[in-house]
Amino acid sequence: TNYTTADGLASNIVYSIAQDPIGTLWFGTSNGLSRYDGQSWINYDTHTGLLENNVYAIAPTASGELWVGTKNGVSRIAAHQQTK
């Protein structure tokens, strides 16, 4: 399966991909972070709390947090913030 911005991905330039403990896919792109649960997309960017839109690293934790690495630093997304 291929995903693009037409499907809901934040950008067609993808730097990183991770899967969290519940199976949600996360894509670090040149235009923010995309979350895909198999049915719907949620995108995060500087307007929703990221330090920078180029997301190079994604590290999900067992407790449900997500650590997101950008060139301007690291952002933490708490589990309860991931469904907004």
Side-chain angles (χ1 to χ4, degrees):
T1 303
N2 298 311
Y3 297 115
T4 69
T5 55
D7 299 298
L9 191 63
S11 169
N12 289 332
I13 300 171
V14 177
Y15 300 123
S16 56
I17 301 171
Q19 187 172 27
D20 68 21
I22 62 169
T24 302
L25 294 173
W26 296 88
F27 301 88
T29 78
S30 63
N31 195 36
L33 178 70
S34 293
R35 175 191 185 273
Y36 183 59
D37 64 7
Q39 295 186 14
S40 62
W41 293 86
I42 298 174
N43 293 314
Y44 302 83
D45 59 18
T46 55
H47 296 102
T48 55
L50 293 182
L51 291 171
E52 213 268 329
N53 283 337
N54 288 291
V55 175
Y56 299 110
I58 306 165
T61 69
S63 64
E65 294 177 326
L66 194 73
W67 292 89
V68 179
T70 72
K71 69 178 182 178
N72 288 341
V74 177
S75 297
R76 181 184 63 88
I77 300 174
H80 72 276
Q81 295 174 305
Q82 296 176 15
T83 57
K84 293 181 180 178

